[in-house]
Amino acid sequence: MKERSVGNTVLVVDGGGRGATLVNKYAQSEYVERIIAVPGNDLMKINTDKPVQIYPQLKTTSIPEILEICEREGVNLVDVSQDNAVSVGLVDALQELGVPVIGPTKAAGKIEWSKVFSREFGVRQGIPQPSFRVCYSEQEGVDFLHTEPDQPWFVKADGLAEGKGALPAKSNAEAIARIPEMRRFKDAGRVYLLEKWLKGDAGREGEEFSTYVFSDGENIKFIGNAQDHKRANDFDEGENTGGMGCSTPPLALTEGIMRRVREGVIDKAIAGLNAEGRPYKGVLYLGGMLVSEGGQQNPYVIEFNARWGDPEVQVVLPGLKNDLFEIGMAIAAGDIKGLELETDGKARVVVTGASRGYPGNYDTVKGKRIYGLNEARKIDGVRLYGAGVKDVDGKHYASGGRLFYLVGEGQTVIEARLRAYEAMSIVFIEGNNLHYRTDIGWRDVARLRSDYR
Ligand code: AMP
Ligand code: GLY
């Protein structure tokens, strides 16, 4: 593939930290001359000397406008790694136009945008997952729960709900009380799942992990794993968020577990989608949970996502040594068989800097000045990716919930998190409005340090 010509333009469809990480990775390619991001964000330009053009007035679902940019700007590759864009068929539209694209079609991406499809597909393919019941009316769920022994559940909207569609319930009565909450998801919640709550070991919460692979529809290449921290506050308390931080590599994932992830989950998912006429081309993300059974830890599927995780991508992708443009073109051409992925073997920790109040109301933080980002990113072994940050003449202002991400790297998770937190410690938001977790990577720190046992 070395004959690939230089001077290419890549379009990344995303506006957050995930998009910033992808922009940075494409910018490292010798084949890429400039990058366009829709909608993009103000800090996407900081990690590269190559031109980065953003379209803040557009959305990731602005299909006609994105097609128009592709034609006008002669875009050579589009990276679609955003759930809404996949679900409205952006990849299909780009393929029709004849633009090389990395990302699944609407049909393949259904594995994320319909939780009911995903679970029924799991049953057809014999993929380990929680048992569930699909409900088409509120009454159906209530009647079903009256026939079940009392236990904890998740009530889950079928469609996309900005990551907020899974409601925990500790008993049948709680689950019954939560069913009407599906109404707030409108169409996405008309059909919903009642799903049994998976327990890990001795009734405790199971340890979660995420796994990332590239697929061209048939072949699979493992990229890496991460551990997300979804709750808003330390010690996994508070509401679920889009992600408050991640670490890689997760030490719980032994070779044996990874073999079961590969054979029992990923291989079946990619082969199954192909067999069902939905070949999956892009990054597939498994959100998994470890459950103890018969003396071993087995991976169960909490969810599949048709994209990179955010902020998981920020610890996994920088460790990939391959050229992402080459990978993208190979996926678009439907042939990654000969691709050999190489990683740098480093540990990484990313800490999310959020507005105080996130994921609830953070309106009063909007427009407040953020101090210290330029100093934080100068620290050795640290990288900054922006999301909800406005840059006005080099000064930074809050403009969202998750604002920015600081990634530290090192030989171990302990070293990586020291760097990330050193960087975070010099960032402030006017009025004490910065919120971040102080315990990202705690599971593996506890594994590595005897005084936690
Ligand atoms: P989701 O929106 O499906 O990603 O779910 C959000 C979080 O809820 C997951 O990261 C898990 O921590 C938890 N969760 C979802 N479904 C289950 C389940 N069936 N058993 C245990 N935990 C779950
Ligand atoms: N960090 C979780 C997600 O991207 O869905």
Side-chain angles (χ1 to χ4, degrees):
M1 230 183 288
K2 281 293 164 207
E3 74 280 8
R4 175 114 34 232
S5 62
V6 294
N8 290 284
T9 300
V10 175
L11 192 160
V12 170
V13 180
D14 197 283
R18 171 177 44 214
T21 315
L22 288 164
V23 165
N24 182 225
K25 192 73 184 169
Y26 283 114
Q28 288 166 13
S29 167
E30 60 181 298
Y31 306 110
V32 175
E33 184 177 78
R34 65 181 182 131
I35 297 143
I36 298 171
V38 175
N41 70 58
D42 283 1
L43 295 194
M44 280 181 170
K45 58 184 184 294
I46 59 172
N47 292 316
T48 175
D49 294 332
K50 293 184 183 173
V52 179
Q53 189 182 350
I54 62 171
Y55 284 84
Q57 72 280 16
L58 298 184
K59 296 196 172 101
T60 56
T61 50
S62 306
I63 294 182
E65 291 85 352
I66 292 172
L67 298 183
E68 204 256 318
I69 293 172
C70 286
E71 289 197 304
R72 192 184 64 229
E73 304 288 338
V75 170
N76 303 93
L77 176 69
V78 184
D79 191 316
V80 180
S81 191
Q82 208 276 340
D83 52 357
N84 286 324
V86 169
S87 74
V88 298
L90 175 59
V91 173
D92 310 62
L94 288 161
Q95 284 177 347
E96 226 164 89
L97 193 68
V99 183
V101 52
I102 164 168
T105 57
K106 182 172 179 180
K110 195 168 186 181
I111 198 160
E112 171 166 13
W113 60 257
S114 168
K115 286 196 194 306
V116 169
F117 170 82
S118 180
R119 287 291 184 237
E120 291 180 335
F121 170 80
V123 171
R124 289 195 292 279
Q125 304 302 330
I127 292 172
Q129 59 181 9
S131 49
F132 65 93
R133 162 83 179 223
V134 184
C135 299
Y136 295 89
S137 71
E138 293 186 3
Q139 194 57 44
E140 186 179 349
V142 174
D143 291 345
F144 169 73
L145 286 165
H146 281 311
T147 66
E148 284 285 305
D150 197 28
Q151 61 190 298
W153 300 88
F154 273 83
V155 187
K156 293 188 174 179
D158 174 43
L160 293 179
E162 295 173 343
K164 300 180 186 110
L167 310 179
K170 296 219 164 72
S171 64
N172 289 17
E174 246 182 63
I176 288 172
R178 300 212 78 164
I179 290 173
E181 291 183 51
M182 290 289 113
R183 287 177 206 163
R184 75 167 181 263
F185 305 119
K186 308 211 170 64
D187 275 350
R190 242 177 266 291
V191 179
Y192 60 97
L193 291 169
L194 290 170
E195 196 171 284
K196 291 195 177 168
W197 191 313
L198 281 180
K199 292 288 175 199
D201 199 0
R204 285 197 298 266
E205 296 287 299
E207 185 158 349
E208 288 182 58
F209 65 93
S210 23
T211 291
Y212 294 87
V213 303
F214 291 120
S215 179
D216 57 7
E218 205 180 323
N219 301 291
I220 298 162
K221 303 288 170 183
F222 273 73
I223 314 164
N225 307 302
Q227 194 151 55
D228 195 10
H229 297 63
K230 284 199 175 130
R231 301 296 197 97
N233 302 321
D234 284 358
F235 301 107
D236 290 327
E237 285 174 5
E239 284 183 68
N240 261 323
T241 70
M244 294 303 294
C246 293
S247 66
T248 190
L251 301 179
L253 297 180
T254 59
E255 249 174 63
I257 293 174
M258 283 315 292
R259 196 175 54 247
R260 295 192 281 284
V261 167
R262 184 173 304 127
E263 292 168 2
V265 182
I266 303 286
D267 287 356
K268 287 182 187 172
I270 294 296
L273 285 168
N274 204 9
E276 294 188 7
R278 302 169 187 270
Y280 190 99
K281 295 183 177 191
V283 173
L284 182 68
Y285 155 175
L286 160 69
M289 185 175 277
L290 297 178
V291 176
S292 284
E293 288 169 325
Q296 69 175 21
Q297 298 266 84
N298 287 330
Y300 273 68
V301 176
I302 296 293
E303 61 178 353
F304 285 109
N305 291 312
R307 53 179 174 82
W308 283 103
D310 187 1
E312 289 92 324
V313 66
Q314 298 162 33
V315 291
V316 177
L317 191 57
L320 184 69
K321 287 181 161 179
N322 302 63
D323 184 307
L324 190 58
F325 182 77
E326 276 193 311
I327 296 175
M329 293 305 275
I331 291 174
D335 185 11
I336 59 166
K337 201 167 184 180
L339 183 68
E340 293 212 11
L341 296 189
E342 240 192 292
T343 47
D344 69 4
K346 285 191 185 154
R348 287 187 173 79
V349 167
V350 57
V351 183
T352 305
S355 292
R356 191 168 295 291
Y358 173 81
N361 188 335
Y362 49 82
D363 285 351
T364 56
V365 188
K366 219 170 180 172
K368 293 268 190 292
R369 177 108 183 251
I370 307 173
Y371 295 91
L373 289 179
N374 286 333
E375 289 304 313
R377 76 189 187 90
K378 279 190 213 143
I379 294 172
D380 214 29
V382 167
R383 198 177 282 276
L384 166 71
Y385 296 112
V389 175
K390 280 257 154 293
D391 178 326
V392 182
D393 301 328
K395 292 186 176 137
H396 299 135
Y397 300 89
S399 73
R402 289 192 292 172
L403 300 168
F404 62 88
Y405 304 85
L406 285 164
V407 183
E409 64 178 46
Q411 293 310 310
T412 64
V413 167
I414 290 179
E415 212 178 292
R417 78 188 287 286
L418 275 177
R419 293 225 165 94
Y421 280 113
E422 183 190 351
M424 197 53 105
S425 74
I426 59 175
V427 181
F428 299 90
I429 301 181
E430 202 184 333
N432 189 22
N433 276 307
L434 175 62
H435 170 65
Y436 62 88
R437 278 180 62 161
T438 67
D439 64 345
I440 303 303
W442 67 268
R443 278 195 173 79
D444 286 339
V445 173
R447 282 193 176 93
L448 293 169
R449 287 211 158 130
S450 59
D451 56 342
Y452 283 79
R453 287 189 200 107

